[in-house]
Amino acid sequence: MDLICDLIRDVEDFPEPGIVFKDITPLLSDPDAFETAIEAMAAPWLNAEPGNEITKVAGIESRGFVFGVPIAQRISVGFVPIRKEGKLPFDSIAQSYLREYGPDTIEIHTDAVGVGDRVLIVDDVLATAGTALAAATLIGAAGATVAGFSVLIELGSLAPRSLLADFTVESVVVFGGD
Ligand code: AMP
């Protein structure tokens, strides 16, 4: 995955001092690398056992949309946006949480997923996993099951998997940690 790693840029002290921001814009501007990234993020979720198929992909605003939509197309299921507070137009469920650099609230439409859905949650970076866990709570509150998480980058030094011990987590590249 050197092709992908080489196109993830570290930006120090963004959005605030002490944070090393993983900038994926160089990757997005390279069509071959982006294609490789989407393939790698979708691969573990293709050809599921009968009964365990993914029925929806939920992407977390905003970079989760960039990866989530093409992954949903690969798996041939619908895409559901999980958005920041106040952005969704229809009836929504909200969940507040803490992430690497501050508190936040995300929302999902009440009719986006439901009983019988097995939802794959997609984002670019898994840091503390606060966002991911909040997204899983929303999916559960809407009556659906979380099939797992697919992220491009896992920040191993923040041990995000400890918060997601109950879930299957697939990442393409891991920075830091053991
Ligand atoms: P967390 O809830 O701490 O796992 O943070 C994950 C969310 O915040 C994702 O939506 C990421 O896009 C963003 N994020 C957190 N930390 C970083 C980072 N170091 N570089 C880029 N994005 C980050």
Side-chain angles (χ1 to χ4, degrees):
M1 288 297 153
D2 286 355
L3 172 70
I4 291 173
C5 287
D6 291 349
L7 292 169
I8 297 169
R9 176 166 56 195
D10 280 357
V11 181
E12 293 193 12
D13 298 323
F14 183 88
E16 54 186 61
I19 302 293
V20 179
F21 192 85
K22 296 292 180 187
D23 177 16
I24 56 157
T25 58
L27 172 74
L28 298 181
S29 71
D30 182 315
D32 292 337
F34 183 58
E35 174 81 12
T36 302
I38 295 301
E39 241 175 60
M41 290 176 76
W45 309 96
L46 296 168
N47 309 315
E49 300 284 318
N52 284 338
E53 294 97 343
I54 306 296
T55 63
K56 287 267 165 48
V57 170
I60 303 173
E61 184 173 1
S62 59
R63 292 180 297 275
F65 297 174
V66 173
F67 294 96
V69 169
I71 291 170
Q73 288 182 319
R74 291 253 164 153
I75 304 177
S76 299
V77 297
F79 175 81
V80 169
I82 293 179
R83 298 209 62 182
K84 300 282 167 60
E85 189 175 24
K87 300 283 186 186
L88 286 171
F90 188 63
D91 295 344
S92 303
I93 314 168
Q95 182 67 37
S96 297
Y97 63 100
L98 285 177
R99 61 176 183 167
E100 195 186 4
Y101 38 77
D104 222 331
T105 299
I106 51 174
E107 297 183 341
I108 191 170
H109 275 155
T110 50
D111 65 351
V113 296
V115 177
D117 273 321
R118 288 179 46 80
V119 183
L120 174 63
I121 300 173
V122 171
D123 207 353
D124 64 336
V125 175
L126 195 56
T128 64
T131 312
L133 193 62
T137 305
L138 284 180
I139 298 298
T145 299
V146 175
F149 295 88
S150 184
V151 298
L152 181 71
I153 300 163
E154 176 180 344
L155 301 184
S157 51
L158 295 174
R161 284 174 191 258
S162 57
L163 217 53
L164 302 177
D166 293 340
F167 301 100
T168 304
V169 179
E170 299 282 356
S171 58
V172 178
V173 291
V174 182
F175 293 109
D178 298 333

